[in-house]
């Protein structure tokens, strides 16, 4: 290869600049589905379009003849078309979020947006007017109406009361007369009612035992109806003296195991309702039913498990003064084997939870209290049919 060929490795460029070719329109790429999502709280802003890239064509080099005088002229290349360099697609989304501006103090709130600002005229429609309520009668008319209703109620009430009074007067069953008749009828039960109705041969005591256990008592002896002599301790007989003694009925029961014996009694007095109420109040206020020197005596029948049931075998007792009948009900219990008791305990104290005395642990308080309650219930059930009058 000649020296001229090595000195001119590139063909010389023409002296004139070719006409610039038409630039192809730039096609903006669609935003990718993986482009970052624009925050919803910022408003959309429009970014001015990116200016098209301008292609700067460098000036053509001097011909080879100028640089190398001895080189032959370079052939003129065919006409070429200069294509613009494609502009790379903007990696950012179509509408990018501009960077946050520099810190600036917050603008003052607009007074027009405050809740206390006056509403602009015509912003809302006029509110619908409420219908005017229907006016009722005036105060005078209402007062007259209430007075009329009250008068009607008074007339009806008087009519009902008068009818009730007239019916009670015609039938003779007013409240006081019914109470007096029941009280008087109860005082005559001792010689009008069979003994089995007052002292049943068997008494059931559902839940009457210790801890709510069921009990059952069997009658083993019935004392003849007598006076009150020798039936009570001297102090108890003196306390009962104001109401008198018309008749005394007693019966002795034993439990299902025949280990306990209990004497229950009904003292029919000669007192009126006021005297019985006064005696009941005295027993309640002075607590005479809790004193160990005011005890009833048991009925010890020979040939029965209660044969050895005496004054020293009394373990627990109860005394109740009734106010709806001229009756004093009592009961006293003990062991059937004849063991003595130094200090008897009242039945209300012996049946309390946590009582540790011997009568309480043996359930003798439940024996006296449970049997006395059921005999009183039988007495009231017997009095009620006796006071009823045929229609």
């Amino acid at each position: 290869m000649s020296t001229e060929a090595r000195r001119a490795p590139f063909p010389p460029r023409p002296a004139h600049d070719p006409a610039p070719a038409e630039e192809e329109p730039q096609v903006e790429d669609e935003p990718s589905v993986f482009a970052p999502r624009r925050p919803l709280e910022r408003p959309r802003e429009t970014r001015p379009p990116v200016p098209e890239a301008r292609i700067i064509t460098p000036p053509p080099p001097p011909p080879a003849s100028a640089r190398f005088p001895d080189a032959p002229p370079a052939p003129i290349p065919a006409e070429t078309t200069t294509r613009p360099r494609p502009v790379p697609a903007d990696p950012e989304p179509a509408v990018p979020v501009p960077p946050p501006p520099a810190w600036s103090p917050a603008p003052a709130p607009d007074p027009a947006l405050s809740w206390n600002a006056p509403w602009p005229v015509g912003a809302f429609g006029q509110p619908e007017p409420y219908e005017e309520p229907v006016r009722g009668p005036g105060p005078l008319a209402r007062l007259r109406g209430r007075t009329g209703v009250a008068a009607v109620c008074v007339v009806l009430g008087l009519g009902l009361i008068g009818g009730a009074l007239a019916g009670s007067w015609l039938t003779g069953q007013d409240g006081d007369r019914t109470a007096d008749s029941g009280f008087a009828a109860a005082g005559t039960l001792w010689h009008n009612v069979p003994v089995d109705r007052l002292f049943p041969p068997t008494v059931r005591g559902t839940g009457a035992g210790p801890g709510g256990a069921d009990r059952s008592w069997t009658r083993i002896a019935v004392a003849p109806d007598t006076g009150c002599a020798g039936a009570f301790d001297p102090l108890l007989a003196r306390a009962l003296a104001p109401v008198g003694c018309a008749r005394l009925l007693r019966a002795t029961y034993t439990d299902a195991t025949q280990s306990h014996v209990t004497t229950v009694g009904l003292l029919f007095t000669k007192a009126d309702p006021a005297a019985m109420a006064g005696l009941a109040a005295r027993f309640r206020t002075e607590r005479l039913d809790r004193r160990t020197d005011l005890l009833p005596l048991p009925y010890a029948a020979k040939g029965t498990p209660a044969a050895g049931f005496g004054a020293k075998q009394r373990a627990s007792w109860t005394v109740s003064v009734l106010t709806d009948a001229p009756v004093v009900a009592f009961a006293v219990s003990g062991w059937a084997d004849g063991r003595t008791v130094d200090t008897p305990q009242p039945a209300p104290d012996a049946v309390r939870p946590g009582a540790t005395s011997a009568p309480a642990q043996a359930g003798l308080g439940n024996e006296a209290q449970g049997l006395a309650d059921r005999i009183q219930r039988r007495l009231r059930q017997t009095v009620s049919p006796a006071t009823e009058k045929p229609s």
Side-chain angles (χ1 to χ4, degrees):
M1 185 179 295
S2 61
T3 306
E4 288 80 7
R6 289 198 305 268
R7 293 181 178 177
F10 300 101
R13 299 183 63 89
H16 64 275
D17 294 336
E22 297 181 358
E23 297 181 358
E24 294 182 1
Q26 297 181 1
V27 180
E28 185 177 358
D29 295 341
E30 295 182 357
S32 174
V33 295
F34 299 100
R37 187 172 296 177
R38 295 184 296 273
L40 298 179
E41 66 273 6
R42 294 185 180 179
R44 294 178 176 270
E45 296 181 3
T46 306
R47 185 177 181 182
V50 180
E52 298 181 355
R54 296 180 61 185
I55 300 176
I56 302 176
T57 305
S65 58
R67 293 180 296 167
F68 305 100
D70 298 335
I76 300 174
E79 183 179 357
T80 58
T81 303
T82 305
R83 300 179 61 87
R85 184 177 60 184
V87 180
D90 192 356
E92 298 182 356
V95 184
V97 179
W103 180 87
S104 61
D110 189 358
L113 301 180
S114 175
W115 286 102
N116 298 327
W119 291 96
V121 179
F124 301 96
Q126 295 294 332
E128 296 181 1
Y130 289 97
E131 296 182 1
E132 185 175 359
V134 180
R135 297 185 179 275
L140 183 58
R142 290 197 298 269
L143 180 59
R144 291 177 180 175
R146 294 174 182 175
T147 304
V149 173
V152 172
C153 294
V154 170
V155 172
L156 292 177
L158 292 177
L160 293 175
I161 294 174
L165 293 177
S168 62
W169 176 72
L170 292 175
T171 58
Q173 293 182 356
D174 58 295
D176 295 340
R177 188 168 300 180
T178 302
D180 293 343
S181 60
F183 189 90
T188 60
L189 291 179
W190 63 272
H191 60 80
N192 293 335
V193 178
V195 66
D196 288 347
R197 293 185 61 181
L198 296 178
F199 301 118
T202 302
V203 178
R204 302 290 181 182
T206 303
D214 297 339
R215 308 294 289 174
S216 177
W217 298 281
T218 303
R219 189 183 67 190
I220 58 177
V222 176
D225 53 336
T226 58
C228 296
F232 306 102
D233 284 345
L235 292 180
L236 180 58
R238 187 182 304 176
L240 297 175
V243 296
C245 178
R247 214 64 171 170
L248 177 64
L249 304 181
R250 291 183 297 173
T252 301
Y253 288 80
T254 184
D255 65 333
T257 61
Q258 294 187 358
S259 58
H260 303 151
V261 288
T262 304
T263 296
V264 60
L266 296 174
L267 167 61
F268 290 85
T269 68
K270 302 177 182 179
D272 56 4
M276 294 300 297
L279 182 63
R282 182 185 177 188
F283 266 73
R284 183 172 57 255
T285 56
E286 299 181 13
R287 302 175 64 86
L288 299 181
D289 56 342
R290 304 296 180 92
R291 292 178 53 173
T292 56
D293 54 350
L294 300 176
L295 272 68
L297 292 173
Y299 175 65
K302 297 180 180 181
T304 65
F309 189 24
K312 295 183 179 181
Q313 284 74 31
R314 293 176 295 183
S316 186
W317 83 100
T318 178
V319 178
S320 300
V321 180
L322 308 184
T323 57
D324 54 349
V327 176
V328 177
F330 62 89
V332 57
S333 62
W335 279 280
D337 56 1
R339 73 182 71 177
T340 60
V341 179
D342 296 333
T343 305
Q345 187 177 20
D349 296 339
V351 298
R352 290 180 179 177
T356 58
S357 63
Q361 295 292 332
L364 291 175
N366 298 87
E367 298 287 325
Q369 188 70 56
L371 192 56
D373 291 344
R374 279 145 185 84
I375 295 301
Q376 294 179 40
R377 190 180 306 169
R378 298 280 301 187
L379 174 66
R380 290 188 173 92
Q381 293 174 356
T382 306
V383 172
S384 297
T387 57
E388 294 180 356
K389 294 184 179 181
S391 58

